[in-house]
């Protein structure tokens, strides 16, 4: 597991990073040292399932999620499709799109048909894995959320 973060700038190996940030600490504005110079938008934090001990960074632009390598975020869950969904982060918003996944994308107990905007704190279900969406608070201070 320790090698995963070296290969994937989207993976945060310890939830302590997000917790420290939520408690008023700082978070990186971008992840240049980790392979991308795109601004940080937030995280999806694993709550239930095989990824409950992980959180994943979401950066400006397209963030693909699925169970195979080649996605921005790889979820190790057989109920997640190969290319399950995409989260587009742009102009202070996060838009999630279901990529015709087998088991769908559920946001706050509602199945996503096409695309929907995510809000801070939303519960996101991909297959048997649950995440909470956490926005980077700098977006709040710009008045975009």
């Amino acid at each position: 597991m320790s090698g995963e973060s070296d290969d994937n700038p989207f993976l945060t190996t310890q939830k302590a990073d997000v917790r420290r940030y939520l408690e008023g600490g700082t978070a990186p504005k971008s992840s240049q040292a980790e392979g991308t110079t795109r601004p940080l938008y937030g995280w999806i934090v694993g709550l239930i399932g095989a990824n409950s001990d992980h959180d994943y960074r979401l950066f400006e632009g397209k963030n693909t999620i699925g169970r195979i390598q080649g996605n921005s975020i790889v979820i190790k869950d057989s109920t997640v499709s190969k290319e399950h969904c995409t989260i587009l982060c742009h102009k202070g918003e996060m838009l999630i799109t279901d990529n015709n996944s087998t088991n769908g994308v559920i946001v706050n107990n509602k199945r996503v048909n096409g695309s929907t905007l995510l809000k801070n704190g939303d519960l996101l279900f991909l297959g048997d894995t649950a995440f909470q969406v956490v926005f980077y608070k700098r977006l709040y201070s710009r008045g975009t959320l």
Side-chain angles (χ1 to χ4, degrees), residues 1-119:
M1 182 164 83
S2 62
E4 289 180 57
S5 63
D6 296 335
D7 299 337
N8 188 342
F10 295 84
L11 177 65
T12 303
T13 56
Q14 296 183 8
K15 284 188 187 179
D17 293 341
V18 175
R19 286 194 185 115
R20 182 176 60 243
Y21 163 74
L22 291 173
E23 291 169 357
T26 60
K29 293 178 184 169
S30 68
S31 187
Q32 185 172 9
E34 297 173 346
T36 182
T37 57
R38 299 187 295 163
L40 178 69
Y41 259 66
W43 298 265
I44 54 172
V45 180
L47 300 175
I48 299 170
N51 295 278
S52 63
D53 60 342
H54 288 87
D55 61 88
Y56 300 89
R57 295 177 180 111
L58 298 169
F59 295 102
E60 183 174 47
K62 185 177 177 182
N63 300 269
T64 59
I65 302 172
R67 76 166 188 272
I68 62 169
Q69 294 299 321
N71 286 291
S72 307
I73 298 171
V74 177
I75 305 299
K76 295 181 178 174
D77 177 344
S78 63
T79 63
V80 170
S81 295
K82 292 177 183 177
E83 297 175 355
H84 201 93
C85 65
T86 300
I87 298 178
L88 179 64
C89 300
H90 185 65
K91 294 186 178 182
E93 296 181 328
M94 289 188 201
L95 180 74
I96 190 166
T97 302
D98 186 343
N99 295 338
N100 297 312
S101 62
T102 301
N103 293 311
V105 173
I106 310 294
V107 177
N108 297 328
N109 296 321
K110 293 181 183 175
R111 188 174 184 121
V112 173
N113 294 312
S115 301
T116 194
L117 285 173
L118 294 172
K119 296 185 299 293

